[in-house]
Amino acid sequence: MHTFTFTFPSPGPAVAAPCRALRILYADDVKELRDVIRLTLMRDGHTVECAVNGAEALKQLEADPTGVDLLITDHHMPVMNGLEFLTRVRALPGFHGRTLVFTSELSHQIAQAYRRLGVDGMIPKPIFPSELRRIIRGFFPTPRELK
């Protein structure tokens, strides 16, 4: 059994939600992390589906590849890790969403493999809600921010 400690920084300036509600698929084998990220993103008005590994997430994505705006995956997962999952996703016709990888550590070779797959971002754990919101906002700016 794993024990996780979540430390949330004191609230800083409010980060506005992206210009629209996003459809997000999040793959992570750690239930507590899935719950925290799902709650964070749902509070911002997004729809969040979760999977316990890459294989389960791939099945969900294959059912509706155009129905996901943002795909978030952990790297270290049983059955199918994040790299294997995103390799399969890139071969999937119809998916044109953004991709983000969470990781506790990556070798240089693995990070390069993710870059070759065109991953939009890689962020180290621990994941802070304010940082995740900032990254998502960068992926999906409002029309006003594009000026």
Side-chain angles (χ1 to χ4, degrees), residues 83-128:
L83 187 59
E84 295 170 281
F85 170 49
L86 290 177
T87 299
R88 301 275 300 273
V89 167
R90 291 300 186 217
L92 187 65
F95 176 72
H96 301 291
R98 307 298 295 262
T99 54
L100 182 61
V101 177
F102 292 169
T103 183
S104 53
E105 53 78 29
L106 282 182
S107 69
H108 177 72
Q109 291 83 3
I110 299 294
Q112 286 296 99
Y114 276 119
R115 287 185 191 99
R116 283 192 298 275
L117 287 171
V119 168
D120 295 295
M122 291 179 270
I123 56 176
K125 290 180 179 180
I127 309 301
F128 295 101

mmCIF file of all heavy atoms in Angstrom, residues 83-128:
data_model
loop_
_atom_site.group_PDB
_atom_site.id
_atom_site.type_symbol
_atom_site.label_atom_id
_atom_site.label_comp_id
_atom_site.label_asym_id
_atom_site.label_seq_id
_atom_site.Cartn_x
_atom_site.Cartn_y
_atom_site.Cartn_z
ATOM 1 N N LEU A 83 4.094 6.017 -22.182
ATOM 2 C CA LEU A 83 4.773 6.047 -23.472
ATOM 3 C C LEU A 83 4.129 5.076 -24.458
ATOM 4 O O LEU A 83 3.876 5.426 -25.617
ATOM 5 C CB LEU A 83 6.260 5.738 -23.290
ATOM 6 C CG LEU A 83 7.127 5.885 -24.529
ATOM 7 C CD1 LEU A 83 7.061 7.302 -25.092
ATOM 8 C CD2 LEU A 83 8.563 5.505 -24.206
ATOM 9 N N GLU A 84 3.854 3.865 -24.002
ATOM 10 C CA GLU A 84 3.175 2.894 -24.874
ATOM 11 C C GLU A 84 1.802 3.407 -25.283
ATOM 12 O O GLU A 84 1.393 3.290 -26.439
ATOM 13 C CB GLU A 84 3.024 1.555 -24.151
ATOM 14 C CG GLU A 84 4.328 0.857 -23.838
ATOM 15 C CD GLU A 84 4.110 -0.329 -22.903
ATOM 16 O OE1 GLU A 84 3.955 -0.092 -21.687
ATOM 17 O OE2 GLU A 84 4.085 -1.462 -23.411
ATOM 18 N N PHE A 85 1.090 3.968 -24.312
ATOM 19 C CA PHE A 85 -0.244 4.501 -24.563
ATOM 20 C C PHE A 85 -0.205 5.607 -25.622
ATOM 21 O O PHE A 85 -0.949 5.570 -26.608
ATOM 22 C CB PHE A 85 -0.835 5.007 -23.240
ATOM 23 C CG PHE A 85 -2.093 5.800 -23.363
ATOM 24 C CD1 PHE A 85 -3.162 5.356 -24.123
ATOM 25 C CD2 PHE A 85 -2.231 7.005 -22.691
ATOM 26 C CE1 PHE A 85 -4.331 6.087 -24.220
ATOM 27 C CE2 PHE A 85 -3.393 7.748 -22.772
ATOM 28 C CZ PHE A 85 -4.440 7.288 -23.544
ATOM 29 N N LEU A 86 0.671 6.599 -25.452
ATOM 30 C CA LEU A 86 0.716 7.700 -26.408
ATOM 31 C C LEU A 86 1.236 7.268 -27.772
ATOM 32 O O LEU A 86 0.834 7.831 -28.794
ATOM 33 C CB LEU A 86 1.527 8.861 -25.846
ATOM 34 C CG LEU A 86 0.843 9.593 -24.694
ATOM 35 C CD1 LEU A 86 1.733 10.695 -24.139
ATOM 36 C CD2 LEU A 86 -0.506 10.154 -25.114
ATOM 37 N N THR A 87 2.079 6.256 -27.810
ATOM 38 C CA THR A 87 2.512 5.705 -29.100
ATOM 39 C C THR A 87 1.304 5.150 -29.845
ATOM 40 O O THR A 87 1.130 5.400 -31.051
ATOM 41 C CB THR A 87 3.568 4.606 -28.893
ATOM 42 O OG1 THR A 87 4.707 5.189 -28.242
ATOM 43 C CG2 THR A 87 3.988 3.971 -30.203
ATOM 44 N N ARG A 88 0.437 4.448 -29.139
ATOM 45 C CA ARG A 88 -0.791 3.899 -29.745
ATOM 46 C C ARG A 88 -1.779 5.011 -30.113
ATOM 47 O O ARG A 88 -2.436 4.943 -31.140
ATOM 48 C CB ARG A 88 -1.453 2.900 -28.788
ATOM 49 C CG ARG A 88 -0.589 1.707 -28.397
ATOM 50 C CD ARG A 88 -0.628 0.555 -29.381
ATOM 51 N NE ARG A 88 -1.924 -0.018 -29.584
ATOM 52 C CZ ARG A 88 -2.470 -0.993 -28.851
ATOM 53 N NH1 ARG A 88 -1.796 -1.511 -27.837
ATOM 54 N NH2 ARG A 88 -3.654 -1.452 -29.139
ATOM 55 N N VAL A 89 -1.848 6.028 -29.276
ATOM 56 C CA VAL A 89 -2.751 7.156 -29.543
ATOM 57 C C VAL A 89 -2.357 7.852 -30.839
ATOM 58 O O VAL A 89 -3.225 8.213 -31.649
ATOM 59 C CB VAL A 89 -2.742 8.164 -28.370
ATOM 60 C CG1 VAL A 89 -3.402 9.479 -28.757
ATOM 61 C CG2 VAL A 89 -3.431 7.562 -27.150
ATOM 62 N N ARG A 90 -1.071 8.056 -31.043
ATOM 63 C CA ARG A 90 -0.611 8.745 -32.254
ATOM 64 C C ARG A 90 -0.971 7.986 -33.525
ATOM 65 O O ARG A 90 -1.075 8.579 -34.598
ATOM 66 C CB ARG A 90 0.896 9.008 -32.192
ATOM 67 C CG ARG A 90 1.275 10.036 -31.162
ATOM 68 C CD ARG A 90 0.598 11.355 -31.455
ATOM 69 N NE ARG A 90 1.054 12.395 -30.554
ATOM 70 C CZ ARG A 90 0.264 13.342 -30.077
ATOM 71 N NH1 ARG A 90 -1.015 13.369 -30.398
ATOM 72 N NH2 ARG A 90 0.743 14.253 -29.271
ATOM 73 N N ALA A 91 -1.157 6.683 -33.428
ATOM 74 C CA ALA A 91 -1.551 5.879 -34.577
ATOM 75 C C ALA A 91 -3.071 5.833 -34.751
ATOM 76 O O ALA A 91 -3.569 5.301 -35.736
ATOM 77 C CB ALA A 91 -1.011 4.453 -34.427
ATOM 78 N N LEU A 92 -3.790 6.425 -33.821
ATOM 79 C CA LEU A 92 -5.254 6.392 -33.815
ATOM 80 C C LEU A 92 -5.803 7.523 -34.682
ATOM 81 O O LEU A 92 -5.550 8.689 -34.413
ATOM 82 C CB LEU A 92 -5.754 6.545 -32.375
ATOM 83 C CG LEU A 92 -7.227 6.388 -32.104
ATOM 84 C CD1 LEU A 92 -7.689 4.966 -32.404
ATOM 85 C CD2 LEU A 92 -7.512 6.723 -30.645
ATOM 86 N N PRO A 93 -6.558 7.184 -35.743
ATOM 87 C CA PRO A 93 -7.125 8.251 -36.566
ATOM 88 C C PRO A 93 -8.208 9.020 -35.791
ATOM 89 O O PRO A 93 -8.959 8.442 -35.022
ATOM 90 C CB PRO A 93 -7.732 7.513 -37.761
ATOM 91 C CG PRO A 93 -7.786 6.087 -37.392
ATOM 92 C CD PRO A 93 -6.896 5.865 -36.216
ATOM 93 N N GLY A 94 -8.219 10.312 -35.978
ATOM 94 C CA GLY A 94 -9.281 11.118 -35.393
ATOM 95 C C GLY A 94 -8.926 11.868 -34.132
ATOM 96 O O GLY A 94 -9.587 12.844 -33.793
ATOM 97 N N PHE A 95 -7.892 11.463 -33.404
ATOM 98 C CA PHE A 95 -7.546 12.191 -32.186
ATOM 99 C C PHE A 95 -6.645 13.368 -32.539
ATOM 100 O O PHE A 95 -5.567 13.196 -33.099
ATOM 101 C CB PHE A 95 -6.843 11.305 -31.152
ATOM 102 C CG PHE A 95 -6.401 12.082 -29.937
ATOM 103 C CD1 PHE A 95 -7.329 12.539 -29.024
ATOM 104 C CD2 PHE A 95 -5.063 12.394 -29.739
ATOM 105 C CE1 PHE A 95 -6.932 13.288 -27.916
ATOM 106 C CE2 PHE A 95 -4.654 13.129 -28.641
ATOM 107 C CZ PHE A 95 -5.596 13.583 -27.731
ATOM 108 N N HIS A 96 -7.100 14.572 -32.189
ATOM 109 C CA HIS A 96 -6.332 15.781 -32.474
ATOM 110 C C HIS A 96 -6.192 16.650 -31.228
ATOM 111 O O HIS A 96 -5.886 17.834 -31.327
ATOM 112 C CB HIS A 96 -6.992 16.587 -33.594
ATOM 113 C CG HIS A 96 -7.120 15.808 -34.861
ATOM 114 N ND1 HIS A 96 -6.038 15.445 -35.644
ATOM 115 C CD2 HIS A 96 -8.208 15.280 -35.473
ATOM 116 C CE1 HIS A 96 -6.456 14.740 -36.683
ATOM 117 N NE2 HIS A 96 -7.761 14.620 -36.603
ATOM 118 N N GLY A 97 -6.414 16.054 -30.047
ATOM 119 C CA GLY A 97 -6.326 16.800 -28.792
ATOM 120 C C GLY A 97 -4.893 17.045 -28.363
ATOM 121 O O GLY A 97 -3.937 16.574 -28.982
ATOM 122 N N ARG A 98 -4.756 17.790 -27.291
ATOM 123 C CA ARG A 98 -3.457 18.073 -26.685
ATOM 124 C C ARG A 98 -3.093 16.936 -25.733
ATOM 125 O O ARG A 98 -3.977 16.224 -25.251
ATOM 126 C CB ARG A 98 -3.510 19.397 -25.905
ATOM 127 C CG ARG A 98 -4.027 20.613 -26.671
ATOM 128 C CD ARG A 98 -3.181 21.011 -27.866
ATOM 129 N NE ARG A 98 -1.850 21.454 -27.543
ATOM 130 C CZ ARG A 98 -1.458 22.714 -27.437
ATOM 131 N NH1 ARG A 98 -2.302 23.698 -27.607
ATOM 132 N NH2 ARG A 98 -0.199 23.006 -27.143
ATOM 133 N N THR A 99 -1.792 16.787 -25.458
ATOM 134 C CA THR A 99 -1.330 15.708 -24.581
ATOM 135 C C THR A 99 -0.390 16.254 -23.515
ATOM 136 O O THR A 99 0.452 17.106 -23.787
ATOM 137 C CB THR A 99 -0.616 14.608 -25.385
ATOM 138 O OG1 THR A 99 0.430 15.201 -26.163
ATOM 139 C CG2 THR A 99 -1.581 13.873 -26.309
ATOM 140 N N LEU A 100 -0.548 15.716 -22.309
ATOM 141 C CA LEU A 100 0.246 16.138 -21.166
ATOM 142 C C LEU A 100 0.642 14.893 -20.377
ATOM 143 O O LEU A 100 -0.199 14.022 -20.127
ATOM 144 C CB LEU A 100 -0.589 17.076 -20.289
ATOM 145 C CG LEU A 100 0.051 17.684 -19.055
ATOM 146 C CD1 LEU A 100 1.256 18.543 -19.419
ATOM 147 C CD2 LEU A 100 -0.986 18.519 -18.308
ATOM 148 N N VAL A 101 1.908 14.807 -19.992
ATOM 149 C CA VAL A 101 2.423 13.653 -19.252
ATOM 150 C C VAL A 101 2.842 14.102 -17.856
ATOM 151 O O VAL A 101 3.560 15.081 -17.700
ATOM 152 C CB VAL A 101 3.640 13.019 -19.971
ATOM 153 C CG1 VAL A 101 4.206 11.862 -19.160
ATOM 154 C CG2 VAL A 101 3.261 12.559 -21.368
ATOM 155 N N PHE A 102 2.363 13.355 -16.841
ATOM 156 C CA PHE A 102 2.803 13.529 -15.456
ATOM 157 C C PHE A 102 3.857 12.477 -15.184
ATOM 158 O O PHE A 102 3.701 11.322 -15.581
ATOM 159 C CB PHE A 102 1.664 13.283 -14.469
ATOM 160 C CG PHE A 102 0.551 14.279 -14.479
ATOM 161 C CD1 PHE A 102 -0.616 14.002 -13.788
ATOM 162 C CD2 PHE A 102 0.633 15.484 -15.147
ATOM 163 C CE1 PHE A 102 -1.661 14.903 -13.758
ATOM 164 C CE2 PHE A 102 -0.409 16.395 -15.127
ATOM 165 C CZ PHE A 102 -1.566 16.106 -14.425
ATOM 166 N N THR A 103 4.914 12.845 -14.479
ATOM 167 C CA THR A 103 5.926 11.850 -14.176
ATOM 168 C C THR A 103 6.672 12.176 -12.887
ATOM 169 O O THR A 103 6.860 13.335 -12.554
ATOM 170 C CB THR A 103 6.941 11.721 -15.328
ATOM 171 O OG1 THR A 103 7.870 10.695 -15.007
ATOM 172 C CG2 THR A 103 7.672 13.015 -15.574
ATOM 173 N N SER A 104 7.070 11.120 -12.199
ATOM 174 C CA SER A 104 7.893 11.303 -11.006
ATOM 175 C C SER A 104 9.370 11.351 -11.396
ATOM 176 O O SER A 104 10.183 11.922 -10.698
ATOM 177 C CB SER A 104 7.637 10.191 -9.992
ATOM 178 O OG SER A 104 7.783 8.938 -10.609
ATOM 179 N N GLU A 105 9.715 10.767 -12.505
ATOM 180 C CA GLU A 105 11.078 10.829 -13.044
ATOM 181 C C GLU A 105 11.073 10.224 -14.435
ATOM 182 O O GLU A 105 10.276 9.355 -14.733
ATOM 183 C CB GLU A 105 12.080 10.092 -12.146
ATOM 184 C CG GLU A 105 11.732 8.666 -11.794
ATOM 185 C CD GLU A 105 12.004 7.625 -12.867
ATOM 186 O OE1 GLU A 105 12.919 7.793 -13.684
ATOM 187 O OE2 GLU A 105 11.262 6.643 -12.901
ATOM 188 N N LEU A 106 11.945 10.753 -15.285
ATOM 189 C CA LEU A 106 12.096 10.231 -16.642
ATOM 190 C C LEU A 106 13.569 10.228 -17.002
ATOM 191 O O LEU A 106 14.280 11.190 -16.711
ATOM 192 C CB LEU A 106 11.393 11.129 -17.668
ATOM 193 C CG LEU A 106 9.899 11.057 -17.836
ATOM 194 C CD1 LEU A 106 9.470 12.016 -18.941
ATOM 195 C CD2 LEU A 106 9.436 9.665 -18.159
ATOM 196 N N SER A 107 13.989 9.188 -17.674
ATOM 197 C CA SER A 107 15.339 9.192 -18.207
ATOM 198 C C SER A 107 15.361 10.124 -19.423
ATOM 199 O O SER A 107 14.317 10.454 -19.998
ATOM 200 C CB SER A 107 15.745 7.780 -18.631
ATOM 201 O OG SER A 107 15.004 7.389 -19.773
ATOM 202 N N HIS A 108 16.542 10.527 -19.820
ATOM 203 C CA HIS A 108 16.690 11.391 -20.989
ATOM 204 C C HIS A 108 16.096 10.706 -22.231
ATOM 205 O O HIS A 108 15.424 11.353 -23.039
ATOM 206 C CB HIS A 108 18.165 11.736 -21.200
ATOM 207 C CG HIS A 108 18.409 12.556 -22.424
ATOM 208 N ND1 HIS A 108 18.059 13.882 -22.518
ATOM 209 C CD2 HIS A 108 18.957 12.218 -23.621
ATOM 210 C CE1 HIS A 108 18.370 14.330 -23.715
ATOM 211 N NE2 HIS A 108 18.931 13.343 -24.396
ATOM 212 N N GLN A 109 16.332 9.401 -22.360
ATOM 213 C CA GLN A 109 15.843 8.666 -23.530
ATOM 214 C C GLN A 109 14.308 8.630 -23.571
ATOM 215 O O GLN A 109 13.715 8.774 -24.634
ATOM 216 C CB GLN A 109 16.389 7.224 -23.530
ATOM 217 C CG GLN A 109 17.870 7.124 -23.775
ATOM 218 C CD GLN A 109 18.706 7.337 -22.504
ATOM 219 O OE1 GLN A 109 18.182 7.507 -21.402
ATOM 220 N NE2 GLN A 109 20.012 7.357 -22.658
ATOM 221 N N ILE A 110 13.690 8.431 -22.422
ATOM 222 C CA ILE A 110 12.224 8.387 -22.375
ATOM 223 C C ILE A 110 11.645 9.768 -22.669
ATOM 224 O O ILE A 110 10.681 9.907 -23.430
ATOM 225 C CB ILE A 110 11.721 7.854 -21.013
ATOM 226 C CG1 ILE A 110 12.215 6.421 -20.776
ATOM 227 C CG2 ILE A 110 10.206 7.935 -20.913
ATOM 228 C CD1 ILE A 110 11.661 5.390 -21.719
ATOM 229 N N ALA A 111 12.241 10.811 -22.098
ATOM 230 C CA ALA A 111 11.778 12.177 -22.374
ATOM 231 C C ALA A 111 11.892 12.485 -23.869
ATOM 232 O O ALA A 111 10.976 13.077 -24.458
ATOM 233 C CB ALA A 111 12.581 13.184 -21.553
ATOM 234 N N GLN A 112 12.984 12.060 -24.494
ATOM 235 C CA GLN A 112 13.153 12.250 -25.934
ATOM 236 C C GLN A 112 12.085 11.491 -26.718
ATOM 237 O O GLN A 112 11.578 11.998 -27.713
ATOM 238 C CB GLN A 112 14.551 11.803 -26.374
ATOM 239 C CG GLN A 112 15.649 12.754 -25.963
ATOM 240 C CD GLN A 112 15.505 14.094 -26.635
ATOM 241 O OE1 GLN A 112 14.998 15.038 -26.033
ATOM 242 N NE2 GLN A 112 15.916 14.190 -27.864
ATOM 243 N N ALA A 113 11.755 10.287 -26.282
ATOM 244 C CA ALA A 113 10.718 9.507 -26.958
ATOM 245 C C ALA A 113 9.380 10.232 -26.895
ATOM 246 O O ALA A 113 8.638 10.268 -27.881
ATOM 247 C CB ALA A 113 10.614 8.113 -26.334
ATOM 248 N N TYR A 114 9.049 10.812 -25.744
ATOM 249 C CA TYR A 114 7.812 11.597 -25.634
ATOM 250 C C TYR A 114 7.857 12.802 -26.573
ATOM 251 O O TYR A 114 6.871 13.115 -27.237
ATOM 252 C CB TYR A 114 7.583 12.074 -24.194
ATOM 253 C CG TYR A 114 6.919 11.059 -23.309
ATOM 254 C CD1 TYR A 114 7.559 10.573 -22.171
ATOM 255 C CD2 TYR A 114 5.627 10.597 -23.577
ATOM 256 C CE1 TYR A 114 6.935 9.654 -21.336
ATOM 257 C CE2 TYR A 114 5.002 9.676 -22.750
ATOM 258 C CZ TYR A 114 5.661 9.212 -21.629
ATOM 259 O OH TYR A 114 5.032 8.301 -20.808
ATOM 260 N N ARG A 115 8.993 13.471 -26.650
ATOM 261 C CA ARG A 115 9.105 14.630 -27.543
ATOM 262 C C ARG A 115 8.906 14.220 -29.000
ATOM 263 O O ARG A 115 8.258 14.933 -29.771
ATOM 264 C CB ARG A 115 10.455 15.320 -27.357
ATOM 265 C CG ARG A 115 10.542 16.092 -26.060
ATOM 266 C CD ARG A 115 11.856 16.875 -25.947
ATOM 267 N NE ARG A 115 12.003 17.365 -24.601
ATOM 268 C CZ ARG A 115 12.743 16.794 -23.654
ATOM 269 N NH1 ARG A 115 13.458 15.713 -23.916
ATOM 270 N NH2 ARG A 115 12.807 17.314 -22.450
ATOM 271 N N ARG A 116 9.473 13.074 -29.378
ATOM 272 C CA ARG A 116 9.291 12.588 -30.752
ATOM 273 C C ARG A 116 7.830 12.303 -31.048
ATOM 274 O O ARG A 116 7.391 12.398 -32.197
ATOM 275 C CB ARG A 116 10.141 11.339 -31.002
ATOM 276 C CG ARG A 116 11.617 11.644 -31.221
ATOM 277 C CD ARG A 116 12.381 10.442 -31.752
ATOM 278 N NE ARG A 116 12.383 9.308 -30.844
ATOM 279 C CZ ARG A 116 13.239 9.122 -29.842
ATOM 280 N NH1 ARG A 116 14.180 10.011 -29.612
ATOM 281 N NH2 ARG A 116 13.165 8.058 -29.085
ATOM 282 N N LEU A 117 7.060 11.949 -30.018
ATOM 283 C CA LEU A 117 5.625 11.699 -30.199
ATOM 284 C C LEU A 117 4.820 13.001 -30.255
ATOM 285 O O LEU A 117 3.617 12.971 -30.470
ATOM 286 C CB LEU A 117 5.085 10.821 -29.064
ATOM 287 C CG LEU A 117 5.485 9.362 -29.110
ATOM 288 C CD1 LEU A 117 5.066 8.650 -27.831
ATOM 289 C CD2 LEU A 117 4.871 8.675 -30.331
ATOM 290 N N GLY A 118 5.484 14.120 -30.045
ATOM 291 C CA GLY A 118 4.795 15.400 -30.116
ATOM 292 C C GLY A 118 3.969 15.741 -28.889
ATOM 293 O O GLY A 118 2.977 16.461 -28.983
ATOM 294 N N VAL A 119 4.386 15.230 -27.737
ATOM 295 C CA VAL A 119 3.673 15.529 -26.490
ATOM 296 C C VAL A 119 3.734 17.040 -26.264
ATOM 297 O O VAL A 119 4.770 17.674 -26.448
ATOM 298 C CB VAL A 119 4.312 14.749 -25.321
ATOM 299 C CG1 VAL A 119 3.813 15.246 -23.986
ATOM 300 C CG2 VAL A 119 4.020 13.270 -25.472
ATOM 301 N N ASP A 120 2.618 17.614 -25.856
ATOM 302 C CA ASP A 120 2.540 19.062 -25.651
ATOM 303 C C ASP A 120 3.222 19.518 -24.373
ATOM 304 O O ASP A 120 3.654 20.668 -24.278
ATOM 305 C CB ASP A 120 1.073 19.514 -25.649
ATOM 306 C CG ASP A 120 0.435 19.292 -27.009
ATOM 307 O OD1 ASP A 120 0.866 19.943 -27.969
ATOM 308 O OD2 ASP A 120 -0.487 18.460 -27.108
ATOM 309 N N GLY A 121 3.281 18.638 -23.361
ATOM 310 C CA GLY A 121 3.926 19.023 -22.120
ATOM 311 C C GLY A 121 4.228 17.833 -21.236
ATOM 312 O O GLY A 121 3.557 16.801 -21.311
ATOM 313 N N MET A 122 5.260 17.975 -20.424
ATOM 314 C CA MET A 122 5.616 16.988 -19.415
ATOM 315 C C MET A 122 5.821 17.753 -18.117
ATOM 316 O O MET A 122 6.598 18.710 -18.099
ATOM 317 C CB MET A 122 6.908 16.253 -19.791
ATOM 318 C CG MET A 122 6.769 15.334 -20.974
ATOM 319 S SD MET A 122 8.320 14.506 -21.394
ATOM 320 C CE MET A 122 9.000 15.685 -22.549
ATOM 321 N N ILE A 123 5.108 17.347 -17.056
ATOM 322 C CA ILE A 123 5.289 18.030 -15.789
ATOM 323 C C ILE A 123 5.609 17.027 -14.693
ATOM 324 O O ILE A 123 5.029 15.950 -14.635
ATOM 325 C CB ILE A 123 4.113 18.948 -15.408
ATOM 326 C CG1 ILE A 123 2.800 18.211 -15.370
ATOM 327 C CG2 ILE A 123 3.997 20.111 -16.338
ATOM 328 C CD1 ILE A 123 1.654 19.077 -14.910
ATOM 329 N N PRO A 124 6.571 17.401 -13.850
ATOM 330 C CA PRO A 124 6.976 16.496 -12.776
ATOM 331 C C PRO A 124 5.971 16.490 -11.623
ATOM 332 O O PRO A 124 5.307 17.496 -11.362
ATOM 333 C CB PRO A 124 8.320 17.061 -12.331
ATOM 334 C CG PRO A 124 8.235 18.514 -12.655
ATOM 335 C CD PRO A 124 7.375 18.619 -13.880
ATOM 336 N N LYS A 125 5.899 15.360 -10.966
ATOM 337 C CA LYS A 125 5.107 15.264 -9.741
ATOM 338 C C LYS A 125 5.947 15.829 -8.606
ATOM 339 O O LYS A 125 7.173 15.738 -8.668
ATOM 340 C CB LYS A 125 4.729 13.812 -9.456
ATOM 341 C CG LYS A 125 3.733 13.263 -10.437
ATOM 342 C CD LYS A 125 3.397 11.825 -10.101
ATOM 343 C CE LYS A 125 2.382 11.256 -11.063
ATOM 344 N NZ LYS A 125 2.054 9.870 -10.756
ATOM 345 N N PRO A 126 5.374 16.414 -7.605
ATOM 346 C CA PRO A 126 3.943 16.520 -7.351
ATOM 347 C C PRO A 126 3.299 17.568 -8.261
ATOM 348 O O PRO A 126 3.939 18.534 -8.670
ATOM 349 C CB PRO A 126 3.866 16.964 -5.885
ATOM 350 C CG PRO A 126 5.139 17.717 -5.655
ATOM 351 C CD PRO A 126 6.165 17.043 -6.539
ATOM 352 N N ILE A 127 2.035 17.345 -8.560
ATOM 353 C CA ILE A 127 1.259 18.235 -9.409
ATOM 354 C C ILE A 127 0.484 19.194 -8.509
ATOM 355 O O ILE A 127 -0.270 18.756 -7.646
ATOM 356 C CB ILE A 127 0.259 17.447 -10.285
ATOM 357 C CG1 ILE A 127 0.941 16.296 -11.027
ATOM 358 C CG2 ILE A 127 -0.491 18.372 -11.231
ATOM 359 C CD1 ILE A 127 2.047 16.683 -11.943
ATOM 360 N N PHE A 128 0.670 20.475 -8.715
ATOM 361 C CA PHE A 128 -0.078 21.472 -7.960
ATOM 362 C C PHE A 128 -1.226 21.975 -8.823
ATOM 363 O O PHE A 128 -1.028 22.273 -10.004
ATOM 364 C CB PHE A 128 0.826 22.636 -7.545
ATOM 365 C CG PHE A 128 1.900 22.215 -6.585
ATOM 366 C CD1 PHE A 128 3.195 21.993 -7.018
ATOM 367 C CD2 PHE A 128 1.607 22.027 -5.241
ATOM 368 C CE1 PHE A 128 4.188 21.588 -6.126
ATOM 369 C CE2 PHE A 128 2.592 21.624 -4.347
ATOM 370 C CZ PHE A 128 3.884 21.403 -4.787
#
